Amino acid sequence: MLTALETGVKGGVWFSLIDKVYPLANLRSAFAKVAARAGAAGVDHMTVEMYAEHAERNLRAVAEELRTGQYRPQAIRRHYIPKPGSKEMRPLGIPTVRDRVVQGAIRHVLEPIWERDFAAQSYGFRPGRGCKDALRRVDALLKAGYCHVVDADLKAYFDSIPHDGLLAVMRRKVSDGRVLKLVEAFLKAGVMEGLRQWTPTAGAPQGAVLSPLLSNIYLDELDHRMVQEGLEMVRYADDFVILCRSEAEARRALELVRQWTAQAGLTLHPQKTRIVDAREEAFEFLGYRFERGQKWPREKSLRKLKDAIRAKTLRTSGKSLQRVILEMNPMLRGWFAYFCHSHKYTFERLDRWIRVRLRSLLRKRQKRRGRGRGRDHQRWPNAFFARQGLYSLYLAHQRACQSARAVPH
């Protein structure tokens, strides 16, 4: 298969793939990734740990079912999680561990076929690519004068991908009916929410192993259409912006996207899709707010971090200050690793806010009322928290800037 990927297959269509899905080596590799991610149990209540107790026996049984065509996916368990910085809830579809393994094995086979031809401006859920690559590309285009931005939002994309349309796109490269039937079976697997069960007529469940790849496959045509039109689109999954040199070009780009989404059975969010002049207005992309040449964490990203810190620094907490700081530091390091390119004022303000939270906690333990202000700054100065090992976002940013300046160009 690797040789064929390099040289190409006759007609660009793969006729025999199921024999590459069910070998035990592929299933073992898929299970290793499922186990590494852990995750909740599906409708059968079997956890990753329970599956692992008899992993070899379980994988052999799955291999035989796939080989003989008897494999059938189980229903997906519907679970809701809060959307970051919002009161809305995001629906997740949690397949059983067994189904996650099979989806992973199918992904191992299908992903290299499409990776050969995926457009360069697609960054989401792809090997060796990530959010930071997409953000760097946006930054470079803005600096190069692409100041008119189509800020687009696909309404409920993962829930609205047309099954027939997606399978038609896949048939252009895959002719193995058994693999396509497996993909279709996963798309149409029943959804269980409490005591209710129904069969979806569209969409690829968020939380399923195959869904990220399927979402990229369906939008690949849009990616290449933008390239053919000479437009600079940067896409991460269903989140994308198109950067243009003029307002007229931006309007043309938006009209092309509207036409494509309409024929593809998708919908642009009318309130969230707009054209922005980045020299005068702000737009948001992948957690960042781009505003007049500067980058800031968007309000939702800040709110999510602050909510997490509030939960760790409750004044009623019985944990020692050292314990609170120990639990908070990994969160701060992770947040900085992603938002380290924000404007420097971001970090100074956040550090100040975090220390106020900690001073308020210490006041409470001294039977004092109110927040940690005024003389509390002398009672517990900044150096006091540094000695306790509190991670400083401001100092981390200074170190990152010094390292960047030290790198020879």
Side-chain angles (χ1 to χ4, degrees), residues 254-274:
L254 179 54
E255 183 55 33
L256 286 169
V257 172
R258 281 204 176 104
Q259 291 172 9
W260 187 89
T261 52
Q263 63 87 23
L266 303 173
T267 307
L268 283 172
H269 199 298
Q271 279 79 44
K272 296 181 180 178
T273 300
R274 63 202 182 111

Side-chain angles (χ1 to χ4, degrees), residues 369-385:
R369 293 182 180 181
R371 298 178 64 194
R373 291 176 173 171
R375 291 191 177 182
D376 289 336
H377 288 265
Q378 285 78 48
R379 195 174 286 118
W380 300 293
N382 296 356
F384 167 79
F385 294 108

Side-chain angles (χ1 to χ4, degrees), residues 186-252:
F186 281 119
L187 289 171
K188 297 184 184 300
V191 178
M192 287 194 69
E193 183 177 347
L195 298 176
R196 263 193 338 129
Q197 181 168 349
W198 73 93
T199 302
T201 56
Q206 293 188 65
V209 177
L210 260 178
S211 293
L213 174 62
L214 298 180
S215 73
N216 275 338
I217 288 173
Y218 197 60
L219 288 178
D220 186 50
E221 186 181 321
L222 175 63
D223 294 340
H224 286 286
R225 177 73 188 278
M226 295 296 104
V227 172
Q228 289 163 8
E229 295 289 339
L231 294 166
E232 292 286 356
M233 183 167 82
V234 181
R235 182 174 70 80
Y236 190 96
D238 58 333
D239 197 359
F240 65 90
V241 288
I242 305 170
L243 293 99
C244 306
R245 288 192 178 274
S246 68
E247 185 178 351
E249 187 180 48
R251 291 189 184 281
R252 181 175 73 89

Side-chain angles (χ1 to χ4, degrees), residues 102-114:
V102 175
Q103 288 191 34
I106 295 172
R107 179 171 179 167
H108 286 168
V109 174
L110 294 182
E111 188 171 64
I113 294 171
W114 266 273

Side-chain angles (χ1 to χ4, degrees), residues 18-33:
I18 190 68
D19 59 317
K20 297 163 184 66
V21 173
Y22 61 68
L24 275 170
N26 188 23
L27 292 169
R28 288 187 190 115
S29 175
F31 174 63
K33 292 177 182 175

Side-chain angles (χ1 to χ4, degrees), residues 104-311:
I106 295 172
R107 179 171 179 167
H108 286 168
V109 174
L110 294 182
E111 188 171 64
I113 294 171
W114 266 273
E115 265 299 318
R116 291 179 77 248
D117 302 316
F118 273 155
Q121 69 264 41
S122 166
Y123 293 89
F125 309 120
R126 293 186 60 190
R129 288 169 163 248
C131 291
K132 289 201 171 185
D133 300 303
L135 290 164
R136 274 192 285 268
R137 182 61 182 156
V138 170
D139 219 22
L141 288 167
L142 287 170
K143 287 173 181 173
Y146 290 78
C147 298
H148 296 272
V149 182
V150 178
D151 185 3
D153 186 277
L154 289 171
K155 191 173 182 181
Y157 172 62
F158 277 86
D159 292 331
S160 59
I161 301 173
H163 291 168
D164 291 344
L166 172 60
L167 290 165
V169 170
M170 295 186 72
R171 286 190 194 99
R172 296 172 193 167
K173 291 190 178 183
V174 172
S175 191
D176 188 322
R178 289 175 64 182
V179 169
L180 290 171
K181 281 180 182 176
L182 272 175
V183 172
E184 185 175 13
F186 281 119
L187 289 171
K188 297 184 184 300
V191 178
M192 287 194 69
E193 183 177 347
L195 298 176
R196 263 193 338 129
Q197 181 168 349
W198 73 93
T199 302
T201 56
Q206 293 188 65
V209 177
L210 260 178
S211 293
L213 174 62
L214 298 180
S215 73
N216 275 338
I217 288 173
Y218 197 60
L219 288 178
D220 186 50
E221 186 181 321
L222 175 63
D223 294 340
H224 286 286
R225 177 73 188 278
M226 295 296 104
V227 172
Q228 289 163 8
E229 295 289 339
L231 294 166
E232 292 286 356
M233 183 167 82
V234 181
R235 182 174 70 80
Y236 190 96
D238 58 333
D239 197 359
F240 65 90
V241 288
I242 305 170
L243 293 99
C244 306
R245 288 192 178 274
S246 68
E247 185 178 351
E249 187 180 48
R251 291 189 184 281
R252 181 175 73 89
L254 179 54
E255 183 55 33
L256 286 169
V257 172
R258 281 204 176 104
Q259 291 172 9
W260 187 89
T261 52
Q263 63 87 23
L266 303 173
T267 307
L268 283 172
H269 199 298
Q271 279 79 44
K272 296 181 180 178
T273 300
R274 63 202 182 111
I275 292 174
V276 173
D277 185 341
R279 294 167 299 185
E280 299 175 3
E281 303 172 80
F283 70 95
E284 295 178 350
F285 185 59
L286 298 181
Y288 273 91
R289 179 178 176 84
F290 291 80
E291 188 170 8
R292 299 180 185 183
Q294 301 291 345
K295 293 199 294 293
W296 307 80
R298 68 174 185 165
E299 191 58 40
K300 284 184 179 180
S301 304
L302 282 171
R303 201 179 308 142
K304 184 181 178 184
L305 175 67
K306 286 187 172 184
D307 286 346
I309 290 171
R310 284 188 185 99

